[in-house]
Amino acid sequence: GTIVAKPDLPPLPDPLCIAYLIDPGVLTDLRPVHCEVDCGDGAGQGQTIVDPRYFTEEKNSYFAFDADVDRFVSILCDAFRG
């Protein structure tokens, strides 16, 4: 099955995006998806809605479902060391 989040690791989408720019191999499961942002006034206002199913609307973005944690930590530590 697909691992969306590991319980002992917080999601870090912004640093992971930068790590991908440094080393694309850090993302191990990157898939095209349909993505929308809820711009309504309801409870989901501002929420990013990702639909990975193959039969939905046109794919308009990519979503990372998994990453190489050790590789990510290495990239992050290298960045902190300067």
Side-chain angles (χ1 to χ4, degrees), residues 20-80:
Y20 172 79
L21 295 174
I22 294 168
D23 179 0
V26 74
L27 298 182
T28 57
D29 186 5
L30 187 65
R31 298 183 223 166
V33 297
H34 181 77
C35 181
E36 294 182 11
V37 176
D38 183 346
C39 296
D41 292 329
Q45 182 180 25
Q47 180 179 18
T48 302
I49 302 162
V50 175
D51 188 351
R53 298 175 295 178
Y54 68 91
F55 56 84
T56 59
E57 297 181 47
E58 180 182 349
K59 308 302 185 223
N60 60 1
S61 60
Y62 288 91
F63 186 84
F65 285 89
D66 204 1
D68 182 331
V69 174
D70 293 331
R71 200 172 195 164
F72 172 66
V73 169
S74 176
I75 293 168
L76 197 61
C77 288
D78 287 348
F80 287 139

